[in-house]
Structure formats: structure tokens, C-alpha cells
Amino acid sequence: MTAPNPHPSTEGRTPYPVGLLLTGRRVVVVGGGQVAQRRLPALIAAGARVELISPTTTPAVQAMADAGEIDWQQRGYADGDLAEAWYVLVATDDHAVNEAVSAEAERRRVFCARSDDAAVATAWTPATGHDEGTTVAVLTGDPRHSAALRTTIVEGLRDGSLSARQYRQRTAGVALVGGGPGDPDLITVRGRRLLADADVVVADRLAPRELLAELPPHVEVVDASKIPYGRAMAQEAINRTLIEHAKAGRFVVRLKGGDPYVYGRGGEELLACAEAGIPVTVVPGISSSISVPAAAGIPVTHRGMTHEFTVVSGHVAPEDPRSLVNWEALAGMTGTLVLLMAVERIGAIAARLIAGGRAASTPVAVVQEGTTATQRRLDTTLGTVADTVAAQGVRPPAVIVVGDVVHVLDPATRTA
């Protein structure tokens, strides 16, 4: 069943699509409510000299004015306000004001968009989206239909299902892309777009596997997995692979789990490429250190409970001379401690923290394969975490959270 057009009087009208270049030009917005709040960022991004006329605004619009992004005239509309304007947007809930603004715009031959009645406007605001330098604008007369089409087109461009790859001039090089904690939907929009443009993908074991299944058949996938205490592709070999493919004229995506710079050796790979004269793009990813606890119902900070959280690698035991961690200082802190790559060393780590002053009763959560379909959470304490991990057969990847925040969202432990 098709929903009725909320603006039936627009049916049969054919607008002339055009892109306005508003840099440095005066644009008047009348009304400071939710409609203005949605429209103003695009006008600001276009470089327009925006003057807002409204007695009141939303807090977000006021913040734009406070930042100097717009000129807010804190008053009602008056005839003559549209002098020397190039474009006008009317967004008040007062029909009489809207009519007056439209009438002045008509006299001055200034195109005017109205949020209340598209049928009497002289300009329609399209549903817009952006993808790598391209603006998609959709006009149908029905805002809901326009928005739905816009979203479909932009998402298709971003995820590669609607590809204009053959028209893009890809420069050979390397992109270090953070794939997020495991759920393929948690890769960034830019990361997914670059992945769709890749000639070669060099993928980690912890990179979202479902993303590889979406790649076109011509894309070469290089397995750069590092299995804990098992098979691994040497870092030097990974560096050589990136450089060799890029020098052969290919666009290479180095797809990593989490963020490239959070225990991902992204810095090493960037340096190797830079020394070889290879251009590198770095796309941050959502780190498992904050996303996995969040997915398991644990905020790493909470007002009145902790003012800091610390992320620590546990791949080297505290007593190992290679360790660079000040475990005594960590033990003396009261904030949240997030341990990555610590499953095999959790017994030694817990013992060192307790010896340094952390209470054995400190809450601990172990989240295995966070954000994926096989995610599981085990709650324990600092004194019993090693036994819990062993008894439950916990395997990497797992994120271990130490601190009172473990139970802050648990209704059974929450206090009024």
C-alpha cells in the first residue's frame, strides 16, 4: 500500500534541479526551530553567509550562532529583511509570518523554500547525501519518498552495491582501514567505501569476515592473520606485500580489526610505506577497547564513579622484562582498566594488580568475541578471574574490563 503524498498539491509539478553556489552570499533563514536546525549545517558547509531571524532558537542553533557560524538576529521578521539575499528559507510555525516572507521574496525575485507548504514555495529543498565528493539530491514532492530514495542511493554508493568505480580515478596506494570490533555494520562509512574500491585487500584475522564476502571476484585477498601462539604472517612480509602491490599500480586496503593504531601495528606499516614513497590513507576504526564493553552493557566511564579509563595490552606478562607497563601505577588507580590480548596472561596480571593494592573483590567482566553473534560475557572478580577464564574455556579475542563500572547498568546492583 502506498502512503498518500503529504503534499498532494505538489503532484504534477516538475522542479528544475540546480546546485546553488552560495559561498559568501547572503542567505536568510526565518525561524530557529527544528527545521532550521536540520537545514543550517548544509548552508554553513556551502559557505553561505547565513543570517537567522528568530526570537528564539534551539540550543543546537544557538551553539552555531555562539561559534560564529551564523548571524542570529534575535527578533521577529520585518519587511525588508530579505534585501540583497540570494536565497531564503522560511521555517516558522506562524502561517502569517511565512506568508509575509514569501510575499517579500516574490517581490524581490528571491527563491524561497517553505517548510510548511511546498506548493506555494518557489524552491524545494531536496533530500541530500554525500559520498566522496559527490552530492546526491532527490526531489519527488513527497519528503519521505525523497529521503528514502536518497538513503538507498547513498548507501549503495558507500557499500559498493551501487558502484561507480569505473568512473573514479583511483590512485595507487595503501589505505589502513580499521574494521571495528567484529560486527560488519560497525566499520566506518569511509572504510566501507574504500574497501569497495580496493584491488587488493590484506586482511587480519580479527577484521570482519563478512566484509570479505562482499568483495567483487576480481579483488585479491591476502590473508595476514596472526593466530595467537599459532600461525602468523610476519610483519615484514605484510609490509612488503603492501608496498609491492601499491608499486604495481594497485589500490591496497589493509583491513584490520578495531583501529589501525590501537595495537594494530598501523604505525609500522605507515612508516614502511612512507619510506618506500607509497601514499597512505588512514581510516580510524571503532576500537574494541570501548565498543566491546559497550556492546556487553558496560560503560567504561560513569559519572560519579570513574574519571578515567586505561587501555593496556596484556600480551606480555608483568614479570617479563619486555613489559613497558607500570603495573604498580595501574594497581593504584581507581578508574576502569580495559585489558586487550590478556586471556593467556590474566592470572599473572590479576596477581600483580592485587599485590599493588587493587581489591581482590574488584568486579571483572570478560567479553569474548564482542559484537558478533557468538558474543558471551562472564562476570567474575579480580581474585577469581583466572580460574573463571580457565574453567569456561575462554579463548581470544576477548576484552577484559576491571572496575566498578562492570555492574553499573545491572538493575540488581543499581542504587537509587
Side-chain angles (χ1 to χ4, degrees):
M1 179 178 178
T2 303
N5 186 344
H7 302 287
S9 58
T10 64
E11 293 180 359
R13 296 194 175 192
T14 304
Y16 180 76
V18 64
L20 299 181
L21 302 177
L22 296 173
T23 302
R25 294 183 168 93
R26 183 171 185 259
V27 172
V28 177
V29 177
V30 182
Q34 294 292 331
V35 173
Q37 181 176 323
R38 294 197 304 270
R39 299 286 183 257
L40 283 168
L43 292 171
I44 294 168
R49 184 163 53 89
V50 180
E51 183 173 318
L52 174 72
I53 299 172
S54 179
T56 60
T57 66
T58 67
V61 172
Q62 182 176 343
M64 297 177 203
D66 292 343
E69 295 178 304
I70 63 173
D71 177 15
W72 176 25
Q73 301 293 320
Q74 193 171 358
R75 58 175 175 79
Y77 161 78
D79 188 57
D81 280 340
L82 307 189
E84 299 184 358
W86 289 73
Y87 181 67
V88 177
L89 171 63
V90 189
T92 82
D93 55 7
D94 187 324
H95 182 73
V97 170
N98 296 344
E99 286 289 305
V101 176
S102 291
E104 182 183 353
E106 188 74 18
R107 292 197 313 270
R108 295 183 181 275
R109 298 185 178 182
V110 179
F111 283 106
C112 177
R114 284 182 57 163
S115 63
D116 63 331
D117 191 348
V120 297
T122 54
W124 292 352
T125 301
T128 60
H130 304 276
D131 174 68
E132 202 174 46
T134 299
T135 298
V136 174
V138 179
L139 289 168
T140 66
D142 179 349
R144 297 173 302 181
H145 189 199
S146 297
L149 284 174
R150 178 274 322 273
T151 300
T152 299
I153 294 168
V154 172
E155 287 182 351
L157 289 172
R158 289 173 175 173
D159 66 21
S161 59
L162 180 61
S163 179
R165 187 179 191 276
Q166 61 269 35
Y167 301 109
R168 293 180 179 173
Q169 294 183 349
R170 293 301 315 169
T171 301
V174 172
L176 306 179
V177 175
D183 183 338
D185 286 341
L186 295 180
I187 189 174
T188 64
V189 169
R190 190 179 188 198
R192 195 158 197 152
R193 182 173 63 233
L194 292 180
L195 192 62
D197 284 344
D199 299 305
V200 179
V201 175
V202 181
D204 272 354
R205 179 179 70 92
L206 297 181
R209 294 173 294 181
E210 292 90 339
L211 295 175
L212 300 180
E214 299 175 0
L215 297 173
H218 72 273
V219 178
E220 180 179 350
V221 177
V222 178
D223 184 1
S225 298
K226 291 183 175 68
I227 301 174
Y229 315 106
R231 296 170 58 190
M233 184 176 182
Q235 187 61 52
E236 293 75 14
I238 295 174
N239 296 347
R240 285 196 305 271
T241 299
L242 299 176
I243 294 168
E244 289 171 1
H245 281 292
K247 283 189 172 181
R250 303 181 183 100
F251 178 57
V252 186
V253 169
R254 175 72 170 104
L255 183 62
K256 298 171 172 290
D259 180 272
Y261 286 171
V262 180
Y263 307 127
R265 300 191 180 182
E268 296 178 41
E269 293 166 355
L270 184 143
L271 289 173
C273 290
E275 290 173 0
I278 305 298
V280 178
T281 299
V282 179
V283 181
I286 301 175
S287 173
S288 62
S289 61
I290 54 174
S291 58
V292 167
I298 303 169
V300 293
T301 65
H302 191 74
R303 185 162 61 94
M305 180 172 290
T306 176
H307 289 174
E308 81 279 346
F309 71 96
T310 307
V311 182
V312 179
S313 169
H315 79 288
V316 175
E319 66 275 8
D320 193 306
R322 297 172 298 167
S323 177
L324 302 176
V325 178
N326 187 337
W327 291 103
E328 286 70 25
L330 285 178
M333 297 174 70
T334 59
T336 306
L337 181 60
V338 180
L339 301 170
L340 304 182
M341 301 179 288
V343 170
E344 298 292 332
R345 314 292 184 193
I346 189 58
I349 291 171
R352 176 62 68 89
L353 292 173
I354 292 171
R358 280 260 183 166
S361 59
T362 302
V364 173
V366 181
V367 186
Q368 181 176 342
E369 298 179 1
T371 77
T372 72
T374 55
Q375 172 180 307
R376 66 167 173 161
R377 169 180 169 173
L378 303 173
D379 285 14
T380 180
T381 66
L382 198 58
T384 59
V385 62
D387 291 339
T388 300
V389 164
Q392 295 296 324
V394 176
R395 298 281 299 170
V399 174
I400 301 175
V401 185
V402 180
D404 291 337
V405 294
V406 165
H407 294 307
V408 71
L409 299 185
D410 183 354
T413 60
R414 192 180 304 160
T415 57

